Amino acid sequence: MNRKPPIAAGRILFAIIASAPLLGAAQELRVELQPAMLVNEADVGDPSGIIDEQREIIGPPAGKPTTTWELNPKYWKQFPFSVYLDLGEPKNLSSLWLFDTNDKGDVVISAGEPGQWREVATYDCAAYLAWAEIKLDVTTRYLRITRRTPGANFSEIAVYEYRAEAHQAMLARKADQARREAERQAALKQARDEALRRPLVEMPPYGTLSLVEEIDCAADPGGHVYAESPSGGSTVETILGRGARVLPPVKGEAAYFSYRLGRRKLLRPGGVYVLAVDYPEDAPRSMVVINTGNETARGFHTGPTVGDAFHAKYVNNLVESIDVPLSGRWETWSLLFRLHDRFPAQGLVRGPVPRTLAPEDGFDVTIAQFSAENMPLSAGAAASRIRLFEVLDPEKLTQPVTLPPPDLPRRRLFWREEMADGVIDRKTDQPGIANPLDWYRYKADLMRFLGMNTYSKDLLEFGACQHWDSTPLGGNDWVFHDATTKHLWAEIVELMGGYGFDVLPYYEYSGSKGYKGLGNQRRARPLTRDDAYTHISWVESANADITDPDTFEDFRKMLDLTVIRLRGKAPFAGVWLRTRGQMPVSFADKTLACFAAEAANGRSITRAALQDDAELYAEYLRWWGRKRRDFLVAMRDVLRANGVEDAMLLFTGCPGEPGVPFATWDPRMVTDRPDLWKPILQQPEHQAGDRGPIVPLTASQVIDGDLYLKALTSPGLNWGNWEVHHSRPADDPQHYQDVDGVFLTHAFNRNYTVASPRTLDAYRTPSGLAIIRHYALNEHMMFDKNDKELLGYFVADIERAGPYCMLAEALAVAHGDPTWIGYLVGGNFGRGFPTHVRDFNANFLALPALSSNVVAGAASDGEVVVRRIDTDQHGTWIAVVNTSLHEKPDLTVAMMPAGRVTDAVSGHEVPTVDGKIRIRMAPCQLRSFRVRSRAVD
């Protein structure tokens, strides 16, 4: 036998402790593996590499160990080979972790003693470059490891026991060593010790998490990097039996408190973490959580609060108040994120600004709120604790998705981010992420976690090229591109294809913007003036006349480079086109001549004639709408003719972030509690200038008066002598109702926007219905009493808390059953209540993208809507939607036709009694079922 000599005492291994809910109050302790413990049962090979990198394992096994069990290939025919560990005394072993490298083969773990081994576990090495846990739960002094085949390849191992006493001894030794080191090294070693005894916590939907740090917000923040504004502005109160830090509303300025998390906690760039904030549902509240660890600002609100800023600086946020029930309990907001390489301090930054903090410094988590007048009814942001967890097994985060059979059309879920990718801008030597492709890898991981199936990214932002190469078809003469990032789009497409996602590129088209670009020629011309349509300079810098044949060729070239030439790297769902006011109604001479030839019997048409003749002007707008449709159909055909099978084209006519306002300058808001809001809206701070007080409307008024449908089909509200109504022409869904493969997208955000079946049906096409959620930016709404930025460049997307975060989507399915749902978000995407999001997404994608019908009376509760989708060969799908704000604990639903009922997501059979199923439904929940006759089965 070959027994290796012990190594120097300076390399004695750390013990790793993590509290685990496995044996009551027991703790897991990593056994101090030493070379002297390792015995090679063969006279060949060197297995010492499996325990020579123990110091690099931090907390839950992490890192990528490199040294392995060395064995000359000439001995491969002699497998199996075994080694064993002599731990010196019997130990209560809990598990063995190994770093699986490549290939596949069985590793057998045995306990007992030499000559009398008993197999405990077998692992097949099916992972790749990942840590894998092998549960042991055995008491033994000797532990045998057997490689049955050459494919059983791994590097480092880690062994854990259930022994608290050994852990205490290790802490004492390491603490003594740390005190003799330099201050920084001592602090880092102490942090290592703390990391090794992190408690393990079960938290759905993340699984087992390791607690990195916990902040008691009610305690004195001494010992933490802490800040608040206004100074002394936070209070400590007892709420629902727990201490909490509260931000009372402050008139005229925003407020926040902020903690530095993870400082010297051995955070890993690219590591998978969960941020959790406990908040009370005792009173209506609005708050924003800023996480600089991945540069995310996400807000949420409870009760009848409006969430988004009530008086946004630049736009109408279209606020809505729904009296959502409060749970009367402490709840948890949480965010899954990948830690960036570097971070800004406290607030957020924009563009290539140095990120001055490194993982060793930690990152800032800020609880913030708008000024009092911007969050009526809110009792103030409040939190009892803030916790940072590390995810033990990121692979288990994936939300299982069951798609319909491949011969049926499938639904899609996707998002597009604005104001986010400055984190990868390499124009600074301290970018947030060093490798730009990692940023998009993190997006793919988030898609898998949330259960979304289609990746979207902007390739044109206000007409400017984003991360693609225009060189083959004209270069900078045609489209200006960044030479340092021009390769990125092709790499992203290949990455997403590797993840199994379809791709939907997004274009804010304005005509090409290069030295000789078509957009810079600004061929589209207003009706009453010659300079510009609007006062927005960055919009007016370029435009495209969609009636111009050169525009067809211009955008065709973009599709050629960004889709057609890359179609072998990933499947493309189609493309998503959006106007930001740069595809206006054109009244140029060439356009007028085209109208005259096509729709006016060749008679001469002038701009003056259009201004004087209302009927002629109306006919011109109808003609232009048809020309826009023809342009979109032509682009669809370009894709389909060039190998993008069944390509769809989405067109979003709404250029603004909050969505589509009502077709009036009269100030309005929608609420189910006008009695609550009328006195509030009479207060001076809520007056809308000369237009008087804001008028509260109910959703019923909006529905009965078709107010939102009128808003969608009206042009932008004009003011002064501008031509906003031509810059943002009205949606014309009637032109698309018989068109296959082109969606005019239906804008939604508030509940009233998806409350009317008539509105949603107006946008339905033979290919289905596409709806796009427009989040409000809330730009620059974190300001101090002098109206200066309080937390850097601030934008935030805000959602309702708990199950109500999916209320709008649930209503959309109930009232219109969209087949595509997309999100236009203001920053780095994430969801604060992912359990409800994942549940909705899985049930949504389980339904085929076919037309459905409402089945009246199918549910025992009138607030539950049932939809039926029939197929010729695959049975029937049933969608059940709880549109209520309350749980339905005992609901029966009739299944039609009779047959075997299964949960469309899990595939589990659902029992029926008299053709009905009995289920429990959470508020705003979607459930999907499949009914098949025995013949179909």
Side-chain angles (χ1 to χ4, degrees), residues 45-83:
D46 179 6
S48 63
I50 67 173
I51 63 167
D52 67 347
E53 297 177 84
Q54 297 285 292
R55 291 177 66 92
E56 279 68 52
I57 304 173
I58 302 172
K64 294 185 178 181
T66 56
T67 55
T68 62
W69 183 337
E70 296 180 0
L71 188 68
N72 193 307
K74 69 181 181 180
Y75 300 115
W76 282 8
K77 292 184 179 181
Q78 300 180 23
F79 270 85
F81 287 95
S82 300
V83 298

Side-chain angles (χ1 to χ4, degrees), residues 207-230:
T208 304
L209 305 178
S210 173
L211 179 62
V212 178
E213 187 171 13
E214 179 173 330
I215 302 292
D216 180 353
C217 298
D220 189 311
H224 293 92
V225 177
Y226 175 82
E228 69 177 29
S229 179

Side-chain angles (χ1 to χ4, degrees), residues 357-678:
L357 299 178
E360 184 178 316
D361 304 312
F363 61 91
D364 292 319
V365 174
T366 301
I367 309 298
Q369 67 184 21
F370 301 132
S371 60
E373 62 274 16
N374 276 298
M375 54 172 200
L377 298 178
S378 175
S384 66
R385 62 177 175 175
I386 302 172
R387 291 174 292 171
L388 176 66
F389 298 96
E390 185 170 9
V391 177
L392 293 186
D393 190 350
E395 290 301 316
K396 292 182 179 179
L397 292 171
T398 300
Q399 168 63 44
V401 174
T402 301
L403 298 174
D407 58 327
L408 294 179
R410 292 173 175 177
R411 299 179 180 232
R412 298 192 178 278
L413 293 166
F414 51 96
W415 81 83
R416 177 261 175 174
E417 294 173 354
E418 189 175 10
M419 312 290 191
D421 55 11
V423 70
I424 60 171
D425 198 318
R426 303 300 298 277
K427 296 181 182 66
T428 172
D429 60 357
Q430 292 183 321
I433 296 178
N435 178 4
L437 198 59
D438 283 344
W439 170 252
Y440 300 99
R441 188 172 290 110
Y442 301 163
K443 304 297 175 193
D445 290 338
L446 181 60
M447 288 176 64
R448 293 202 304 183
F449 171 67
L450 293 176
M452 304 180 80
N453 64 342
T454 304
Y455 174 74
S456 187
K457 178 202 177 316
D458 52 350
L459 299 188
L460 295 174
E461 186 174 6
F462 283 97
C465 174
Q466 304 290 301
H467 308 135
W468 56 278
D469 187 4
S470 65
T471 302
L473 294 180
N476 287 325
D477 276 349
W478 173 47
V479 173
F480 292 124
H481 65 265
D482 186 337
T484 64
T485 62
K486 65 181 183 180
H487 62 282
L488 199 52
W489 173 239
E491 294 177 356
I492 293 168
V493 172
E494 186 170 14
L495 173 72
M496 295 301 166
Y499 271 82
F501 294 132
D502 291 353
V503 179
L504 181 72
Y506 168 96
Y507 308 83
E508 294 179 351
Y509 182 61
S510 67
S512 51
K513 297 177 76 170
Y515 290 116
K516 302 176 182 177
L518 179 66
N520 293 338
Q521 299 174 31
R522 299 171 62 202
R523 293 188 182 180
R525 182 181 175 186
L527 177 62
T528 63
R529 52 194 301 149
D530 292 321
D531 53 348
Y533 287 85
T534 72
H535 65 294
I536 307 172
S537 60
W538 63 87
V539 170
E540 297 300 327
S541 64
N543 69 41
D545 184 344
I546 52 87
T547 71
D548 190 332
D550 290 344
T551 302
F552 172 100
E553 177 61 16
D554 190 54
F555 193 58
R556 185 205 63 79
K557 290 165 60 178
M558 294 184 181
L559 295 180
D560 184 6
L561 292 183
T562 60
V563 177
I564 295 168
R565 299 191 186 193
L566 301 178
R567 67 189 185 280
K569 297 179 180 290
F572 281 82
V575 299
W576 181 7
L577 192 60
R578 183 187 182 195
T579 177
R580 298 306 295 266
Q582 296 175 303
M583 298 171 64
V585 180
S586 175
F587 300 90
D589 291 344
K590 186 176 180 180
T591 315
L592 296 178
C594 183
F595 169 71
E598 294 183 3
N601 298 318
R603 68 187 179 98
S604 177
I605 303 296
T606 65
R607 292 162 68 188
L610 290 172
Q611 294 177 61
D612 293 339
D613 188 332
E615 185 175 340
L616 180 64
Y617 171 74
E619 177 54 34
Y620 186 89
L621 293 182
R622 288 190 290 270
W623 168 83
W624 185 90
R626 293 191 297 271
K627 296 295 287 186
R628 179 170 66 177
R629 177 203 58 198
D630 294 345
F631 172 77
L632 300 177
V633 169
M635 294 303 105
R636 175 207 66 188
D637 292 345
V638 166
L639 295 173
R640 292 184 173 184
N642 286 277
V644 185
E645 186 177 353
D646 296 326
M648 301 289 178
L649 191 144
L650 278 66
F651 179 75
T652 297
C654 174
E657 284 84 18
V660 179
F662 290 116
T664 176
W665 285 112
D666 295 337
R668 294 172 170 177
M669 68 172 290
V670 178
T671 177
D672 61 351
R673 290 289 307 279
D675 60 313
L676 180 66
W677 278 95
K678 283 180 180 179

Side-chain angles (χ1 to χ4, degrees), residues 301 320 322 324 413 708 746-756 760 769 771-775 798-818 820-823 831 836-837 840-841 844 881-885 923-926:
H301 64 114
E320 176 186 59
I322 302 296
V324 172
L413 293 166
Y708 189 59
H746 179 290
F748 83 104
N749 41 42
R750 313 307 178 194
N751 297 332
Y752 69 82
T753 65
V754 286
S756 172
L760 292 160
L769 168 65
I771 65 173
I772 302 296
R773 180 161 196 154
H774 294 245
Y775 282 97
I798 298 178
E799 60 186 347
R800 297 190 187 279
Y804 310 107
C805 70
M806 301 307 294
L807 177 55
E809 287 86 345
L811 291 175
V813 173
H815 296 142
D817 194 19
W820 294 50
I821 302 179
Y823 299 84
R831 297 301 296 263
H836 306 290
V837 177
F840 176 90
N841 290 350
F844 179 80
V881 190
N882 182 9
T883 66
S884 170
L885 301 178
C924 317
Q925 187 179 18
L926 167 67

Side-chain angles (χ1 to χ4, degrees), residues 117-314:
W117 297 112
R118 174 172 57 88
E119 290 189 10
V120 175
T122 300
Y123 172 67
D124 62 3
C125 293
Y128 175 68
L129 295 180
W131 283 97
E133 182 182 17
I134 304 171
K135 295 299 296 182
L136 300 179
D137 291 335
V138 66
T139 299
T140 186
R141 170 178 170 174
Y142 300 96
L143 196 67
R144 192 188 200 208
I145 304 168
T146 301
R147 296 173 62 194
R148 282 185 171 168
T149 66
N153 295 321
F154 58 94
S155 55
E156 201 70 8
I157 66 170
V159 179
Y160 291 79
E161 65 167 329
Y162 296 115
R163 286 282 304 279
E165 296 82 1
H167 167 57
Q168 296 300 324
M170 179 279 297
L171 281 183
R173 289 196 303 272
K174 301 318 298 181
D176 184 63
Q177 294 174 6
R179 286 191 296 271
R180 294 193 298 266
E181 294 181 357
E183 179 180 350
R184 177 176 176 276
Q185 286 300 322
L188 289 175
K189 289 184 182 296
Q190 182 179 358
R192 184 182 292 265
D193 290 343
E194 292 175 353
L196 304 179
R197 61 172 182 267
R198 293 172 182 167
L200 300 182
V201 176
E202 289 292 327
M203 180 183 289
Y206 308 107
T208 304
L209 305 178
S210 173
L211 179 62
V212 178
E213 187 171 13
E214 179 173 330
I215 302 292
D216 180 353
C217 298
D220 189 311
H224 293 92
V225 177
Y226 175 82
E228 69 177 29
S229 179
S231 178
S234 72
T235 62
V236 174
E237 303 175 14
T238 299
I239 302 175
L240 299 176
R242 288 167 60 173
R245 188 168 296 275
V246 180
L247 289 172
V250 184
K251 188 174 182 178
E253 61 180 309
Y256 73 86
F257 59 84
S258 179
Y259 294 90
R260 180 74 51 85
L261 266 70
R263 184 172 181 267
R264 291 181 177 172
K265 297 292 184 182
L266 305 175
L267 301 182
R268 297 184 299 110
V272 185
Y273 295 90
V274 173
L275 177 67
V277 177
D278 288 3
Y279 70 94
E281 287 213 5
D282 64 315
R285 300 182 187 274
S286 294
M287 62 188 83
V288 175
V289 183
I290 301 175
N291 173 12
T292 64
N294 79 328
E295 300 194 30
T296 299
R298 303 293 301 178
F300 64 97
H301 64 114
T302 66
T305 56
V306 298
D308 292 303
F310 200 70
H311 302 287
K313 288 190 174 186
Y314 313 118

Side-chain angles (χ1 to χ4, degrees), residues 672-730:
D672 61 351
R673 290 289 307 279
D675 60 313
L676 180 66
W677 278 95
K678 283 180 180 179
I680 296 173
L681 298 176
Q682 293 298 322
Q683 297 171 5
E685 61 265 32
H686 300 310
Q687 299 300 300
D690 295 338
R691 299 194 299 274
I694 300 171
V695 176
L697 301 176
T698 65
S700 295
Q701 289 175 290
V702 175
I703 296 169
D704 294 343
D706 282 330
L707 298 184
Y708 189 59
L709 180 58
K710 292 175 183 176
L712 288 171
T713 55
S714 296
L717 293 171
N718 198 33
W719 61 280
N721 294 318
W722 297 108
E723 293 189 21
V724 176
H725 53 304
H726 295 145
S727 175
R728 192 276 192 235

